[in-house]
Amino acid sequence: NLQESIQDLGNAGDIDHLDWRSYHFLAAIRATLSHSLHPASTLLAVIDEVSPPDTQEFMAGLADVDEGVFGEGEEREMAWVMQTLNEGLLGCYVRVLRDNPQVAAKHYQSDSVMRTMAGLDTLISLLERVVSEKTFNLRATEYAAYRNAESAAPQPSALVVSRRSPEPSRGLGDVL
């Protein structure tokens, strides 16, 4: 939930490192922007339409950072979210959708919050409040390291649990 992730960020004024709180916030933004996309559309297609040329150049340059992380669509979307937060402009990109309903209609299903003025205004207000209260300085290289470390961690199914046979129960007389 986006509102919960905003609360998790707490009162910190500067968000300059990636931890579980900031990662949760980035993921919540990405999930909100991806919700109710047409099956044939992607958030990357939306990003391409609402972004100016310099942001598109940034997106193209992500392969130079760490192709193993930023070669995937979801990860490229997360990098865009980080960049727009760093610039303090994420709300402006959402405003482009609000001001261009034909772009939203092209990418989002008819019942999507991303196609209603009220939903978009609420999202813009939330995002602008966050960027007015906090300064973001998140680095793509740190995100790549965070993701690589996360994927290298043992997964629960890979853990081996060894159980010892229970010892026969001993009565009080056996112990004394």
Side-chain angles (χ1 to χ4, degrees):
N1 180 315
L2 183 56
Q3 290 181 327
E4 288 174 4
S5 68
I6 291 170
Q7 291 173 348
D8 287 344
L9 287 176
N11 295 326
D14 292 338
I15 309 295
D16 58 1
H17 65 282
L18 201 60
D19 61 9
W20 71 269
R21 289 174 189 87
S22 54
Y23 182 81
H24 181 233
F25 177 63
L26 295 171
I29 291 172
R30 187 199 156 278
T32 300
L33 296 175
S34 297
H35 185 69
S36 296
L37 283 165
H38 284 300
S41 192
T42 65
L43 182 54
L44 286 175
V46 176
I47 290 168
D48 193 46
E49 285 208 43
V50 300
S51 297
D54 59 331
T55 302
Q56 292 172 359
E57 288 173 24
F58 165 78
M59 295 296 290
L62 286 174
D64 297 336
V65 176
D66 187 332
E67 191 171 323
V69 172
F70 295 112
E72 300 293 322
E74 180 179 328
E75 305 309 331
R76 295 174 70 76
E77 295 161 358
M78 292 288 272
W80 177 80
V81 170
M82 284 189 302
Q83 180 66 17
T84 58
L85 285 170
N86 289 346
E87 295 170 342
L89 298 175
L90 184 55
C92 294
Y93 289 103
V94 175
R95 187 172 280 120
V96 170
L97 281 175
R98 187 197 65 194
D99 295 344
N100 296 283
Q102 71 280 8
V103 174
K106 179 179 175 182
H107 296 287
Y108 291 95
Q109 296 176 24
S110 60
D111 60 345
S112 173
V113 166
M114 299 302 287
R115 289 190 52 190
T116 67
M117 285 293 193
L120 288 168
D121 284 341
T122 300
L123 181 57
I124 291 166
S125 175
L126 276 171
L127 296 172
E128 288 182 346
R129 188 187 82 214
V130 170
V131 298
S132 73
E133 295 172 356
K134 300 176 185 330
T135 302
F136 289 86
N137 187 22
L138 299 169
R139 292 167 295 287
T141 52
E142 185 178 358
Y143 178 79
Y146 183 87
R147 290 294 295 178
N148 287 335
E150 184 180 79
S151 65
Q155 300 300 314
S157 61
L159 296 177
V160 177
V161 177
S162 172
R163 294 189 180 170
R164 294 184 354 184
S165 299
E167 292 183 19
S169 60
R170 297 190 274 177
L172 190 54
D174 294 332
V175 175
L176 294 175

